[in-house]
Amino acid sequence: MRKLFTRKQTQTKTTSGPARGSLFRSLKVRIFALILLFGMVPALILSESLLGYYRDRVIAVRTSEAQTQLRVLANHLITYGYLDNPDNDIVSAELSQYSSFYDGRVLVINDALQVVDDTYNVSRGKTIVSGDVVKCLRQGSAASTSHYDEKDGYIEIVIPIAETASLEGQDTTGNAAKDGETIYGVLLSSVSTASIEAMHDALGQREMILALILLLVIIFLAVVFSYLLVKPFDRLTRKISDVREGYSSDPIEENAYTETAHIMTAFNQVLGRMRALDDSRQDFVSNVSHELKTPMTSMKVLADSLLSDPNTPPEMYREFLTDIDSELDRENKMIAELLNLAKMDRKQVTMNISTVDIGSLLEIVMKRVRPLAQKRDIELTLVQERDVSAEVDEVKMTMVFTNLIENAVKYNKDHGKVTVALNADHKNFTVTVEDTGVGIPEDSVARVFERFYRVDKSRSREVGGTGLGLSIVKSAVLLHKGSITVDSVYGEGTRFTVVIPLIYIQTKDATTAKALVVKREEGGSDEKN
C-alpha cells in the first residue's frame, strides 16, 4: 500500500509540473498548431485568390461584351445619322435595350461635346467636359478606355463614334480624319456590376461556411495526428518512469520512430551502466567486508589460542603476536588505500600541479623499489629516450609509478627483469612498465583495474596485495586526463602503458574531460615514439 501511494504521489507531482510552464512547450500543442497553421492558411489564401480571380474574370468578360455592343451601337448611330436626327426610334430602342440589359446608362456625345441623347433623360442637350471624352475625340479608337470603379460598383466605358476613311474612300462630312478614322462623337457608358458583386458575396458566404467546415476537419485531424505522433513518446516516458520508480528493471523497447529508438538506446546504455555500478558497489561492499573480516578472524583465532592455554610457552606468544602484528599492518594498509581511493572518487579533488622532471621521479621510485627487487635477483632498468618535464601532481604520479613498478617486481619470476621506458612527443609523455613475470590470463586482462579484483588470490595474499592498487593507479591517471592500458601474455610477462599530457588541462566540463580520455584510450594521442 505504501509503495502504491508513493507512486501515485510521484505521478501527481510529475503531472503538475508542465502546468506551471508554458503550454507551447508541449510537443502535442506544437504539432497541433503546425497542422492547423499549414492546413488553414493555404486554404484561406487559395479561397481568397479564387474569389478575387472570379470577380476580375467576370468583370473583364462583362467589359468586353459591353464594349462590343457599344461598337455595334456606334455603327448604327452613323448608319442612321442619329447625331443629326436623334429621333430615330430604332436607335433609341437599341440604346434603351442596352441600358436595360447592362443595368447602366449611355450618353451619346457629338464632336462639340454636347449630349445628344441620355438613356436616363438627365443630361440631354448639356455640354460634358471629361478628359477621357476629349482624348477619345482627338485620338479615336486608340483612346478607347474602360475603368472599373469598385467603390461605386460600375464599369465606365468610352469609345468613339467613328468610321474608317479607307473603307469609305473619302471623308463625306468634311471632318478631319485621325489615323484613317473620321470621328463623329463619343459613346460614354456606365455598366452596373451589382449582379457580379451579389454573386461574389454569395460565393463569399459559401466560402466562409466551407472554411468553417474545413477548420473543424483540420482541428479534428490536428488533434488526432498530434495524439498519434506523440503517443510513442508517451509510452517511452511511462516505461522510463516505471524503471525510475522501481516497478521494472528490464531494458525498454520503443522503435516507433528513429528518435525514440535513439532515446531508447541511450537510456538502456545508461541503465546498463547503472546496473554495472550497482553490481560494482555491491561487490565492493562484499569484498571490503571480506577483506576486513579475514585479518580480524585470524587475530581472533590467535588471541583465543593464547587465552585458552595458560601454559603457552613464551616463544609461541612471540610467534602469535608477530602474526597478529602482521595482520594489523595488512589491515592498516588496506584501510589507508581505501581512504586514498575514496578521496580520488570525490567530484572535487585537489590537484597540486607543478612542473616535475619525470625522469628524476622515476629514478627515485626505482631506488626505493630496488631493495625489494634485489631479494629475488630481479633486474631493474630505466630507459629514457629524452628529458621530460610535465605539469603533474607529484604525489599522485609517484603513487602511480610506485604501484606499477612494485607490482612488476612482486608478480615477477626470480632472476627476472623489469624495464621502465620513458618517452614523449609534443603533447604527451609515455611511461611503460614491462616485466618478465607470470602474466595475466586473457579473460582477466579487462578486469585488472576493478577494485579488489585479483588474478591469483593466493599469490596476492602471499605478497601482501589488497586488490586496490591498480584501481588507485587508474583513478590518479584519469585525474591527469591521461590513459592507462595493459597488454599481457600469460606466463611470459605484462606491460602497462601510461600516457599523460605534458600540460595539465583544467577542465570543468565533464563531457570535455571524458572526450579527452576516450581519445587517448582509442589511440588519439598522436604519439611519436
Side-chain angles (χ1 to χ4, degrees), residues 132-156:
D132 290 338
V133 172
V134 173
K135 186 177 180 181
C136 190
L137 281 173
R138 290 178 178 178
Q139 299 181 9
S141 299
S144 298
T145 61
S146 63
H147 170 68
Y148 170 56
D149 190 331
E150 184 177 358
K151 180 179 179 181
D152 296 327
Y154 69 90
I155 305 170
E156 184 181 84

Side-chain angles (χ1 to χ4, degrees), residues 47 56 66 72-73 89 111 119 126 154 184 186 201-202 220 254-255 274 324 342 346 377 405 425 455-456 485 514:
S47 176
D56 294 342
V72 172
L73 284 174
D89 294 335
D111 56 359
T119 55
K126 296 180 180 180
Y154 69 90
Y184 301 98
V186 174
D201 293 342
F220 173 76
E254 187 57 60
N255 295 308
M274 291 173 61
I324 291 174
R346 290 184 305 175
D377 192 24
I405 297 173
D425 57 20
V455 178
D456 187 344
T485 56
K514 181 180 177 181

Side-chain angles (χ1 to χ4, degrees), residues 120 132 138 198 321 361 457 484 514:
Y120 280 9
D132 290 338
R138 290 178 178 178
L321 288 174
L361 183 61
K457 293 185 178 181
I484 180 170
K514 181 180 177 181

Side-chain angles (χ1 to χ4, degrees), residues 308-324:
S308 63
D309 187 2
N311 298 319
T312 303
E315 58 273 12
M316 186 170 291
Y317 265 102
R318 185 174 184 83
E319 180 183 350
F320 281 15
L321 288 174
T322 301
D323 292 340
I324 291 174

Side-chain angles (χ1 to χ4, degrees), residues 183-197:
I183 302 172
Y184 301 98
V186 174
L187 284 177
L188 174 62
S189 172
S190 61
V191 178
S192 174
T193 58
S195 59
I196 297 175
E197 296 295 337

